[in-house]
Amino acid sequence: MATVKEFRNNVRPNWCPGCGDFSVQASIQRALGNMDLEPENVAVISGIGCSGRISGYINSYGLHGVHGRALPIAQGVKLANRDLVVIASGGDGDGFGIGLNHFMHAVRRNIDLTYIVMDNNIYGLTKGQHSPTSAFGFKAKNTPQGTIENALKPAQVALSAGISFLAQGFSSDVNQLTSLIEQAIQHRGFSLINVFSPCVTYNKINTYDWYRENIVNLEQDENYDSSNKALAMQKVFETNGLCTGLIYKEDRPVFQDLVPGYKEEAITSQELRLDDEYFAKVMNQFA
């Protein structure tokens, strides 16, 4: 039986001191340990950005992909080996910029995996440009007069696209984030956890204190019903997307359930060799 310790390795993260991504990494490791999973049964697939390094910091199968492409890789991994717990991860620039199209289609496919986005409202790895989630007027190195583009709201986009599990966390609340990750892994379908993860080096606006003053924790609302999509949409708009907790969850068939002939046994465990008679029949078509 694995513990949290077994999901740690000897690779030292090179994130800036105080980066919110440390807490995301710790929360993933705690969740995996709490769920008694084994490292060989988990795969973490990441994109490009500071957050993309996380696949190398967790003791499991992992792949550091290219920019915006964590989700296509993760979906392929899950389809090839349905027995793996697959976690895709990246940042707001990676996931909601170049990777937005992949995100939208992953939502509607509803393949059974968990996507964790470390949202810091800036491109940190390239040293401070505004990202898709930066607020209108946000001043960055490339927008000294303030960005003139409206911010993309991940929760609103996810709900509109038909996501089956949506949650948001905050790097400063590891206990809640750990619980949300456990729930997301247990959910059968595509799950998104958007994490407010401050960049302490290049974003001096969306700080830990700023989030503490602006976030609404839905878990403190006894009347909130995460199965009510209309209510979820209402809360997301009321809070301008700045809410944490389980926002919405519904049960519906996953992609694999709807693929004709998709076997219960993982493809990686199946005998993929064609029998001689069938192979000859195929080859005769090209004779």
Side-chain angles (χ1 to χ4, degrees), residues 14-279:
N14 64 352
W15 294 320
C16 301
C19 175
D21 294 354
F22 283 102
S23 297
V24 178
Q25 177 193 343
S27 298
I28 293 173
Q29 291 166 325
R30 285 179 58 178
L32 296 173
N34 291 345
M35 298 177 73
D36 294 332
L37 296 168
E38 301 292 340
E40 62 267 27
N41 293 328
V42 177
V44 178
I45 313 297
S46 61
I48 294 294
C50 297
S51 55
R53 303 177 186 276
I54 199 166
S55 59
Y57 300 154
I58 295 174
N59 185 38
S60 69
Y61 287 113
L63 192 148
H64 191 169
V66 294
H67 201 206
R69 304 295 187 261
L71 281 176
I73 299 169
Q75 290 171 92
V77 170
K78 185 65 180 183
L79 288 175
N81 190 346
R82 64 189 307 163
D83 295 336
L84 279 178
V85 169
V86 178
I87 297 173
S89 189
D92 45 302
D94 181 74
F96 302 136
I98 193 171
L100 181 61
N101 186 48
H102 295 302
F103 171 68
M104 299 291 284
H105 290 291
V107 167
R108 71 186 186 87
R109 275 189 203 108
N110 200 34
I111 292 179
D112 184 19
L113 61 87
T114 296
Y115 187 33
I116 300 173
V117 177
M118 286 160 265
D119 186 355
N120 56 18
N121 310 103
I122 203 164
Y123 284 95
L125 186 67
T126 49
K127 304 190 183 306
Q129 297 81 31
H130 75 286
S131 83
T133 60
S134 300
F136 183 89
F138 184 87
K139 294 182 180 180
K141 285 185 175 179
N142 63 329
T143 55
Q145 303 302 317
T147 177
I148 56 175
E149 298 174 346
N150 284 324
L152 183 144
K153 306 293 184 183
Q156 295 175 10
V157 172
L159 285 171
S160 299
I163 198 163
S164 63
F165 184 105
L166 171 64
Q168 292 193 138
F170 178 33
S171 287
S172 187
D173 191 344
V174 173
N175 289 333
Q176 183 191 50
L177 183 54
T178 300
S179 172
L180 292 173
I181 294 171
E182 291 176 22
Q183 293 176 62
I185 292 173
Q186 291 166 348
H187 173 68
R188 195 162 184 274
F190 183 82
S191 52
L192 167 68
I193 303 177
N194 189 55
V195 185
F196 302 118
S197 181
C199 172
V200 296
T201 302
Y202 296 109
N203 188 340
K204 304 300 183 184
I205 302 298
N206 307 111
T207 63
Y208 286 97
D209 286 341
W210 185 90
Y211 279 117
R212 291 189 184 99
E213 292 171 2
N214 289 280
I215 279 176
V216 174
N217 187 349
L218 297 179
E219 293 181 357
Q220 296 175 351
D221 183 350
E222 296 179 354
N223 297 318
Y224 187 72
D225 178 4
S226 60
S227 67
N228 185 329
K229 190 170 186 177
L231 181 59
M233 189 68 84
Q234 178 185 334
K235 282 293 182 183
V236 166
F237 275 89
E238 280 180 0
T239 60
N240 197 27
L242 291 169
C243 53
T244 57
L246 176 58
I247 298 172
Y248 180 68
K249 177 183 175 182
E250 69 168 325
D251 295 321
R252 62 184 175 90
V254 302
F255 183 84
Q256 296 94 321
D257 292 341
L258 304 175
V259 175
Y262 192 79
K263 296 181 178 179
E264 289 295 323
E265 183 182 17
I267 293 175
T268 52
S269 301
Q270 296 174 23
E271 175 57 66
L272 298 180
R273 183 177 180 276
L274 298 176
D275 65 64
D276 293 341
E277 182 180 352
Y278 186 77
F279 181 73

